[in-house]
Amino acid sequence: MTAAFARLWAEIAPIGRDRKGGYLRYALTDPELTLRDWFRNQADRRDMTVTDDGNGNLFAWWGAQWGRGTVLTGSHFDSVPHGGGYDGPLGIVSAFLAVDRLREQGFTPGRPIGVAAFVDEEGGRFGLPCLGSRLLSGVIDPGKAAALCDRDGVTFGEALGSRPAGALPSLSARVSAVVELHIEQGRVLDVPVGVASAIWPHGRWRLDFTGHGDHAGTTRMADRHDPMLTFASTVLAANEEAWLAGAHATIARVTVEPNATNAIPSLVRGWLDARAADTPTMERLVEAVVKRAVERAGQDGTQVVVEPESVSPEVAFDTSLAARLSALLGDAPILPTGAGHDAGVLSAHVPTAMLFVRNPTGVSHSPAEYASDEDCTAGVEALATVLRELT
Amino acid sequence: MTAAFARLWAEIAPIGRDRKGGYLRYALTDPELTLRDWFRNQADRRDMTVTDDGNGNLFAWWGAQWGRGTVLTGSHFDSVPHGGGYDGPLGIVSAFLAVDRLREQGFTPGRPIGVAAFVDEEGGRFGLPCLGSRLLSGVIDPGKAAALCDRDGVTFGEALGSRPAGALPSLSARVSAVVELHIEQGRVLDVPVGVASAIWPHGRWRLDFTGHGDHAGTTRMADRHDPMLTFASTVLAANEEAWLAGAHATIARVTVEPNATNAIPSLVRGWLDARAADTPTMERLVEAVVKRAVERAGQDGTQVVVEPESVSPEVAFDTSLAARLSALLGDAPILPTGAGHDAGVLSAHVPTAMLFVRNPTGVSHSPAEYASDEDCTAGVEALATVLRELT
């Protein structure tokens, strides 16, 4: 069993890997397209038909496509820049192996099973996380999604080759359950497999700090309107406010114009990632950070404009489904997560559950992200058990 | 006279201009190569031979190439990213117009005049300011210069098409004086033309802040080693220490790995630009900033490594030459500057002077950089007067 996982995992491990072991698998770029080819090939090997929902999401079918009672599983191929290899692909590889396991057991599902590969779950290319599942479930307008730009100015519509199709008609009538398997992204899980209870509310806000571009060598300190100072102060404020709130806040991405050593910037753009156990706490946290940014801008003679890019309320997964799966898996622990997932988006429309595979260091979004072959194999076994139960 | 300036200026104004009026004229990229073609064409129109010193610097000659007593003038074409159009090109355009002015006056110089276009004065492409004049005067090893990389990994040697030739033999024996005309970069000059007394000591230091890449959503605040915090704290420390020292310090350039909204960075790289009226003050300033960076790194669980990229001591221009030119120009004011220049590098080898043209707002390294056609024309007249005197 462990060998089966290791063998399939080794097929995709080199795709999009950088020399430090991190991954560049942006949605619809070469490495991710290679993974999609691999997906079609895996489906083919298993006599599973592949369909495309017109939104960039792929589905491999065991049973009738979108037939009544469909159970969806799978995850996403795309990575954060230089991220780990497990976040996403583990759910897809495990889904194919769970299908193998059920067939070895001579099981024939009474409901269709669809293995999904969702597009741009990280938002690493087009800026909006869970783009594919948002389109499928109709929570984003296809025209708005088509216009989202990557860092090179390529739109999602251009990358996709067409305007996205948008919501699948009667999604909630067709699908009876969604189960996404994912590597855990914290240090909470101390057995191989757990079940998700909830996703913290979370969001990303873009902060544009503008000032006056000028010569760094000749401009007197008193004459400056340097937006880098306001940015820096806000980075520290976000950290402090998160500690005070018992929540998470991070400014990890920044772009600077002109970004030259000897030129005071005219624009510094930062992105705030904020998450908390409940929505009011997250909202108070963001308000506090913005208040401090605006205060500091007054001192620096700069301006701040805040634009929410995506804000997701708390997701409580289907409680009875989680309890049922936990019992099925020998009282597997039930735990919340701070990370967003396609399953979180879909849970508003369909009974949804997540399985987590143990991550011994808790590190994620980094080349150090890791799960053992043994734990991954336990994940496959758990997913097979769950699919057997639900179909 | 004003019309002559405006006409020649209009020829180069569109080259490399972005839609906000700033310039992208990195050394040896298309716009700068176009300006070099324009330079050859201007020389041709004036029957001036163009030579290349094998370092990427061009020279248009009135008189014998590198003949005894040569007087060099000119400046550079390259800009900081999205910088102004005057910083550099004004010195070259003015040099050609000064030649015209002397010829209109029927003047024949007794010594050769060389109009220079130096390569990568800003260090905007290869990271080391005054690269061309450093090579010409032998203060940088050609092999080291050849290996300098731009942001895309192209080396200076590759961009140049060969290993740089290095120092011109007997530069100080051949050249009797250097006069660089430049737009002023502060608000000090309140008449059209002034003469430089000195360049503040200045330098740039690269600061690598390293931590642990991790998931921004799931990593507890207490488990983080976030180098963005150390960077932000150092940005503010540099500003505070510069105020305290009566000097200038700026962190205006930053790169982040992986620079993703939902991933705590593993590396934040910032560049410190520091300048002061004297070298001990600058050194104390940098020491104070680094000390505070290291202290904060201890608190954040991160590391800081500091690498000086270029440090230039104070340049005092030839005092008697400055006094002579000031008198010649009707007691033009004599003023220092915080900005580095090729003239500063060459002043260690040859009697060197600079003429400044008034900048009404003092803004530089920004699209708002500006000098009036009248003041620029006064600059041409002053340069012609100086060249007549020195040749």
Side-chain angles (χ1 to χ4, degrees):
Chain A
M1 275 288 287
T2 307
F5 174 80
R7 198 162 48 241
L8 203 57
W9 193 249
E11 288 187 20
I12 65 162
I15 302 168
R17 190 164 54 191
D18 66 25
R19 62 206 156 77
K20 291 181 185 167
Y23 285 91
L24 283 172
R25 291 171 169 171
Y26 289 115
L28 304 175
T29 61
D30 279 351
E32 208 245 6
L33 293 172
T34 303
L35 289 164
R36 286 165 176 266
D37 289 343
W38 176 89
F39 181 94
R40 291 175 195 277
N41 182 263
Q42 288 299 314
D44 215 41
R45 283 200 222 168
R46 290 171 176 82
D47 290 319
M48 297 171 80
T49 308
V50 173
T51 64
D52 180 322
D53 67 352
N55 294 311
N57 305 315
L58 296 179
F59 301 89
W61 294 99
W62 186 8
Q65 303 157 23
W66 298 114
R68 191 144 203 93
T70 285
V71 174
L72 285 184
T73 184
S75 189
H76 61 94
F77 281 128
D78 68 293
S79 72
V80 299
H82 306 286
Y86 291 84
D87 180 349
L90 183 62
I92 299 174
V93 168
S94 298
F96 281 122
L97 290 171
V99 166
D100 294 347
R101 191 83 188 106
L102 291 174
R103 288 177 175 178
E104 283 162 25
Q105 295 167 356
F107 177 74
T108 307
R111 294 169 160 175
I113 294 177
V115 176
F118 291 105
V119 74
D120 210 11
E121 191 269 348
E122 300 289 0
R125 180 160 181 201
F126 296 103
L128 184 69
C130 302
L131 183 55
S133 52
R134 284 178 205 259
L135 278 163
L136 178 72
S137 58
V139 296
I140 182 175
D141 173 66
K144 192 179 158 195
L148 292 171
C149 261
D150 73 6
R151 297 177 194 199
D152 298 324
V154 178
T155 66
F156 176 63
E158 286 163 357
L160 193 62
S162 65
R163 184 188 161 91
L168 184 87
S170 353
L171 177 72
S172 52
R174 292 165 191 269
V175 177
S176 64
V178 173
V179 185
E180 181 175 359
L181 178 146
H182 204 281
I183 187 168
E184 224 264 90
Q185 294 174 294
R187 292 173 179 82
V188 177
L189 188 62
D190 57 2
V191 296
V193 178
V195 178
S197 58
I199 297 177
W200 277 19
H202 58 281
R204 45 180 73 175
W205 288 259
R206 201 184 76 214
L207 294 95
D208 285 1
F209 302 92
T210 50
H212 296 181
D214 214 331
H215 195 299
T218 57
T219 311
R220 295 188 308 158
M221 299 312 286
D223 292 334
R224 297 176 178 219
H225 303 267
D226 183 353
M228 186 68 91
L229 301 176
T230 325
F231 166 79
S233 177
T234 306
V235 166
L236 300 176
N239 185 264
E240 288 161 15
E241 295 294 337
W243 276 93
L244 291 172
H248 296 171
T250 315
I251 297 180
R253 181 180 169 199
V254 59
T255 62
V256 180
E257 291 179 12
N259 209 29
T261 307
N262 53 1
I264 296 165
S266 54
L267 170 69
V268 179
R269 178 169 281 167
W271 280 262
L272 170 67
D273 181 298
R275 322 207 183 195
D278 60 81
T279 301
T281 303
M282 179 183 73
E283 287 173 348
R284 278 197 305 273
L285 167 61
V286 174
E287 266 169 37
V289 174
V290 170
K291 182 164 177 283
R292 289 182 61 180
V294 169
E295 278 168 11
R296 176 73 197 208
Q299 184 182 330
D300 293 332
T302 56
Q303 289 80 42
V304 190
V305 175
V306 180
E307 177 72 24
E309 288 200 338
S310 72
V311 182
S312 304
E314 184 176 4
V315 169
F317 288 115
D318 190 301
T319 314
S320 64
L321 181 58
R324 191 172 148 208
L325 301 194
S326 164
L328 192 66
L329 300 174
D331 285 327
I334 300 181
L335 64 160
T337 176
H341 296 288
D342 293 312
V345 171
L346 296 171
S347 73
H349 308 275
V350 179
T352 297
M354 289 191 76
L355 300 182
F356 289 132
V357 171
R358 174 164 59 185
N359 178 338
T361 64
V363 172
S364 186
H365 286 190
S366 149
E369 182 183 85
Y370 174 71
S372 71
D373 287 355
E374 289 71 23
D375 285 357
C376 292
T377 301
V380 169
E381 194 65 40
L383 183 58
T385 303
V386 164
L387 291 176
R388 175 188 274 268
E389 168 78 6
L390 297 178
T391 59
Chain B
M1 274 291 286
T2 307
F5 174 79
R7 201 162 46 240
L8 203 56
W9 193 248
E11 289 185 17
I12 65 162
I15 301 168
R17 190 165 53 189
D18 65 25
R19 62 205 157 77
K20 291 181 184 166
Y23 286 90
L24 282 171
R25 291 170 170 171
Y26 290 113
L28 304 176
T29 62
D30 280 350
E32 208 246 6
L33 293 170
T34 303
L35 289 163
R36 287 165 176 267
D37 289 343
W38 176 89
F39 181 94
R40 291 175 196 279
N41 181 264
Q42 289 298 314
D44 215 41
R45 283 201 222 168
R46 289 171 178 81
D47 290 320
M48 297 170 78
T49 308
V50 174
T51 64
D52 180 321
D53 66 352
N55 294 312
N57 304 315
L58 295 179
F59 300 88
W61 294 101
W62 184 9
Q65 304 158 22
W66 300 113
R68 191 146 202 92
T70 285
V71 174
L72 285 184
T73 184
S75 190
H76 61 94
F77 282 127
D78 67 295
S79 70
V80 298
H82 306 284
Y86 290 84
D87 179 349
L90 183 64
I92 299 173
V93 167
S94 298
F96 282 122
L97 290 170
V99 166
D100 294 348
R101 191 81 189 109
L102 291 173
R103 288 177 176 178
E104 282 162 25
Q105 294 167 358
F107 177 75
T108 306
R111 294 169 160 176
I113 294 178
V115 176
F118 291 106
V119 72
D120 209 11
E121 191 270 347
E122 299 289 0
R125 180 159 181 201
F126 296 104
L128 184 69
C130 302
L131 181 57
S133 53
R134 285 177 203 260
L135 278 163
L136 178 72
S137 58
V139 295
I140 182 174
D141 173 67
K144 192 178 157 195
L148 292 171
C149 262
D150 72 6
R151 296 178 195 199
D152 298 323
V154 177
T155 66
F156 176 63
E158 286 163 357
L160 193 63
S162 66
R163 185 189 160 91
L168 185 87
S170 357
L171 176 73
S172 52
R174 293 165 190 269
V175 177
S176 64
V178 173
V179 185
E180 181 175 358
L181 178 145
H182 205 281
I183 187 166
E184 223 262 271
Q185 296 174 293
R187 293 173 179 81
V188 177
L189 188 61
D190 57 2
V191 296
V193 178
V195 177
S197 58
I199 298 177
W200 277 20
H202 58 280
R204 45 179 73 175
W205 289 260
R206 201 184 76 213
L207 294 95
D208 285 1
F209 303 91
T210 50
H212 296 180
D214 214 329
H215 195 298
T218 57
T219 312
R220 295 187 310 157
M221 300 310 287
D223 292 335
R224 297 177 176 219
H225 303 266
D226 183 352
M228 185 68 90
L229 301 176
T230 324
F231 166 79
S233 177
T234 306
V235 166
L236 300 176
N239 185 263
E240 288 162 16
E241 295 295 337
W243 276 93
L244 291 172
H248 295 171
T250 315
I251 296 180
R253 180 179 169 201
V254 58
T255 63
V256 181
E257 291 180 12
N259 209 29
T261 307
N262 53 1
I264 296 165
S266 54
L267 171 68
V268 178
R269 179 169 282 165
W271 280 262
L272 170 68
D273 181 299
R275 321 206 184 197
D278 59 81
T279 300
T281 303
M282 181 183 73
E283 287 173 349
R284 277 196 305 272
L285 168 61
V286 174
E287 265 170 37
V289 174
V290 169
K291 182 164 178 280
R292 289 183 59 180
V294 169
E295 278 167 10
R296 176 73 197 208
Q299 185 181 329
D300 294 332
T302 57
Q303 289 80 42
V304 189
V305 175
V306 180
E307 177 72 25
E309 287 200 340
S310 72
V311 183
S312 304
E314 184 174 6
V315 169
F317 288 114
D318 190 302
T319 314
S320 64
L321 181 58
R324 188 170 150 212
L325 300 193
S326 165
L328 192 66
L329 300 174
D331 285 327
I334 300 180
L335 64 161
T337 177
H341 296 285
D342 292 313
V345 171
L346 296 171
S347 72
H349 309 274
V350 180
T352 297
M354 289 191 76
L355 301 182
F356 289 132
V357 171
R358 174 164 58 184
N359 178 339
T361 64
V363 173
S364 186
H365 286 190
S366 150
E369 181 183 270
Y370 174 72
S372 71
D373 286 355
E374 289 72 22
D375 285 358
C376 290
T377 301
V380 170
E381 194 64 40
L383 182 60
T385 303
V386 165
L387 291 175
R388 174 189 275 266
E389 168 78 8
L390 296 178
T391 59

